[in-house]
Amino acid sequence: MSADYQKISQDGLWTNNVALVQLLGLCPLLAVTGTFINGLGLGLATLLTLILSNASVSAIRHWVRPEIRIPVFVLIIASIVTIIEMLMHAWVPGLYNILGIFIPLIVTNCSIIARAESFAAKNPVLPSVIDGFMMGAGFLLVLVVLGGLRELIGFGTLLDHSYLMFGETARSWTLSFADGYRGFLLAVLPPGAFIGLGLLIAGKNYIELRKTKHQTVKLQPVIENSSTA
Amino acid sequence: MNRQVLITALVLTLFAAIGGGLVSYTEQSTASQIRVNDKMMLLHSLKSLLPAQRYDNDLASSAISIAPHQLLGTTKTSRAYSATKNTDTVAFIFNVIANNGYNGKIYLLIGVYTDGSIAGVRVVRHKETPGLGDAIDENRSSWILNFNQHSLSSLTEKQWKVKRDGGYFDQFTGATITPRAVVNAVHNTLLYYQQHKAVLLQATTKPVSPKE
């Protein structure tokens, strides 16, 4: 069973990453990743939604007839997202105002219903929760990396506006690199999001490719020789 | 068959009820906090427009309704806030919309002293280009502070424009449309105030609410 969890984790974080491999939830991903903190905020909200929706879908999986499972899943996800939205409005209003429409739009993030349908509906609660957590964490990581990169290149800062999430003490967290950096506008604008995501996907594929090449080179030195000769 | 349909419907209803119940419970328990937040945020932006020693009333609860007006860019009833000191009205803060921004509407709060000079201007919400047009935001540059103290008499009609159009106010490199829209909105607000000064002053003296 523990090996199983390892596979779930690896799938969520890397092999089957929501954003880099499944390419789901791209609309919020591209739209909010202007800064590190925006990415973190939406990432955490999505992560929480995934965990809760996977847990509840898995818990009720024996009681729901197959023909109505999709409406039920949608109901569950919509309720969870609405609740999270209200809680954010109440407790982190600054961030809520920035993320605005993208919090309710988590409902339409296909990765959530995809996990409910393809994993949580077929597995017990604990693995489903772990799957939700890992998938969410994989999405969160991409959001944060892309947000951080765009903020760094676009504004020359990191962690700007973190007080919106962590309170007034975080006002001094902003890291500023290179004083007088005038910013690279393209990174902040929508094309920067597409280019950045493209580069991240390319980077992931490159690492995968190198890994497999490494293995095949080790395995087949003989075949390589005979074919080139 | 009928039985199955009935069960299915019941299950669906049950889930809808549970979901709805949870949502309304959360709604109830967060409503007061959300209201406090919204008021705090409003108060925070109102306060940034006026020096604290100029007024002594609760700005957020001093709202008066303003009928939609072309000069304010509004198409619905909007709110204005009045600042008073010792029950004398000192300033009004208007919600103004600049409809001709580069990328949609720019929502502004504009404070006008009763003598017709600008107390302050702040951008509440905008979708202008990051890095270019967003310099109207006080967080990004101090450009918006240039309006302070100016009035219809300190600058002529022609000067209430950006420099590119032969006026007094700077535009930003690479963005003329955004500052032009803001300058225009501020100018229009002053015109609006000039035309409605008497009515506004009367509106604020009407509800004399005794303060604690």
Side-chain angles (χ1 to χ4, degrees):
Chain A
M1 214 47 188
S2 62
D4 220 348
Y5 291 146
Q6 205 181 352
K7 189 179 175 309
I8 293 175
S9 317
Q10 210 178 5
D11 258 1
L13 292 177
W14 185 258
T15 335
N16 203 13
N17 187 293
V18 173
L20 295 184
V21 181
Q22 302 180 50
L23 299 179
L24 292 178
L26 291 191
C27 166
L29 176 87
L30 295 169
V32 304
T33 51
T35 67
F36 183 91
I37 287 297
N38 288 4
L40 186 64
L42 189 80
L44 287 176
T46 312
L47 173 73
L48 195 60
T49 312
L50 262 169
I51 294 175
L52 293 176
S53 78
N54 264 13
S56 20
V57 165
S58 163
I60 55 136
R61 70 187 187 283
H62 296 306
W63 305 335
V64 178
R65 299 163 162 280
E67 54 275 24
I68 54 156
R69 66 178 195 284
I70 299 288
V72 169
F73 294 168
V74 171
L75 255 174
I76 291 175
I77 297 168
S79 313
I80 290 171
V81 171
T82 314
I83 290 172
I84 290 179
E85 186 200 351
M86 286 171 184
L87 292 178
M88 284 182 79
H89 197 171
W91 302 115
V92 280
L95 195 67
Y96 172 84
N97 280 344
I98 287 186
L99 295 178
I101 184 69
F102 292 101
I103 303 170
L105 275 184
I106 293 175
V107 178
T108 64
N109 188 330
C110 321
S111 64
I112 293 167
I113 197 144
R115 289 332 283 171
E117 170 75 1
S118 67
F119 195 95
K122 297 170 192 150
N123 289 285
V125 175
L126 188 59
S128 298
V129 167
I130 293 176
D131 178 74
F133 178 77
M134 288 304 168
M135 283 290 162
F139 189 62
L140 171 77
L141 278 179
V142 176
L143 277 169
V144 166
V145 170
L146 191 55
L149 277 176
R150 288 176 67 192
E151 186 183 343
L152 189 64
I153 299 171
F155 296 121
T157 61
L158 260 187
L159 292 173
D160 200 11
H161 298 305
S162 26
Y163 68 91
L164 291 176
M165 202 163 170
F166 301 104
E168 287 302 310
T169 47
R171 237 175 228 283
S172 53
W173 290 5
T174 306
L175 304 171
S176 199
F177 304 91
D179 274 340
Y181 178 64
R182 294 203 40 205
F184 184 57
L185 195 56
L186 181 69
V188 190
L189 295 176
F194 283 96
I195 296 170
L197 181 67
L199 289 175
L200 285 184
I201 295 174
K204 184 196 177 281
N205 289 351
Y206 176 72
I207 296 172
E208 294 275 283
L209 207 64
R210 268 189 51 167
K211 243 185 356 199
T212 45
K213 229 187 212 164
H214 220 62
Q215 282 166 354
T216 44
V217 167
K218 256 192 232 158
L219 284 172
Q220 325 171 305
V222 188
I223 300 168
E224 193 102 60
N225 278 345
S226 63
S227 66
T228 45
Chain B
M1 187 58 204
N2 256 341
R3 223 175 86 88
Q4 279 207 354
V5 172
L6 206 65
I7 293 174
T8 313
L10 271 177
V11 171
L12 206 54
T13 319
L14 185 71
F15 277 107
I18 295 174
L22 283 174
V23 168
S24 57
Y25 173 74
T26 319
E27 209 268 324
Q28 272 184 6
S29 47
T30 53
S32 62
Q33 181 67 34
I34 290 175
R35 226 171 301 129
V36 170
N37 286 343
D38 287 350
K39 196 178 168 188
M40 284 284 285
M41 219 168 256
L42 173 67
L43 202 60
H44 184 78
S45 40
L46 290 179
K47 272 183 175 165
S48 67
L49 288 174
L50 290 176
Q53 69 273 14
R54 294 292 296 261
Y55 65 95
D56 58 7
N57 65 327
D58 177 10
L59 287 180
S61 48
S62 70
I64 42 177
S65 300
I66 302 278
H69 199 282
Q70 200 195 343
L71 286 174
L72 298 177
T74 48
T75 49
K76 287 182 204 144
T77 304
S78 67
R79 282 178 162 193
Y81 305 88
S82 59
T84 57
K85 181 148 194 173
N86 307 326
T87 67
D88 289 337
T89 309
V90 224
F92 291 99
I93 299 173
F94 297 98
N95 274 300
V96 178
I97 305 171
N99 288 301
N100 46 358
Y102 186 66
N103 191 14
K105 297 177 175 179
I106 306 171
Y107 293 83
L108 301 159
L109 273 178
I110 301 181
V112 184
Y113 286 124
T114 35
D115 67 0
S117 65
I118 292 287
V121 182
R122 287 293 178 282
V123 175
V124 183
R125 198 145 42 93
H126 73 89
K127 283 183 282 189
E128 301 304 296
T129 320
L132 291 176
D134 69 349
I136 52 170
D137 199 327
E138 197 216 356
N139 292 327
R140 294 253 177 258
S141 89
S142 59
W143 180 82
I144 202 91
L145 305 177
N146 286 332
F147 291 110
N148 294 2
Q149 319 304 333
H150 280 298
S151 65
L152 290 176
S153 49
S154 78
L155 295 171
T156 63
E157 179 89 32
K158 273 189 186 153
Q159 286 176 304
W160 272 102
K161 290 191 168 119
V162 290
K163 279 193 178 138
R164 165 91 47 97
D165 302 337
Y168 170 84
F169 296 98
D170 275 322
Q171 62 266 353
F172 326 123
T173 347
T176 318
I177 294 171
T178 310
R180 187 185 280 153
V182 176
V183 170
N184 194 28
V186 176
H187 184 220
N188 282 344
T189 306
L190 287 177
L191 289 175
Y192 175 88
Y193 178 70
Q194 197 180 38
Q195 290 170 16
H196 297 81
K197 188 176 177 181
V199 186
L200 284 165
L201 282 171
Q202 216 165 34
T204 49
T205 45
K206 202 169 38 179
V208 191
S209 52
K211 276 179 264 353
E212 53 259 86

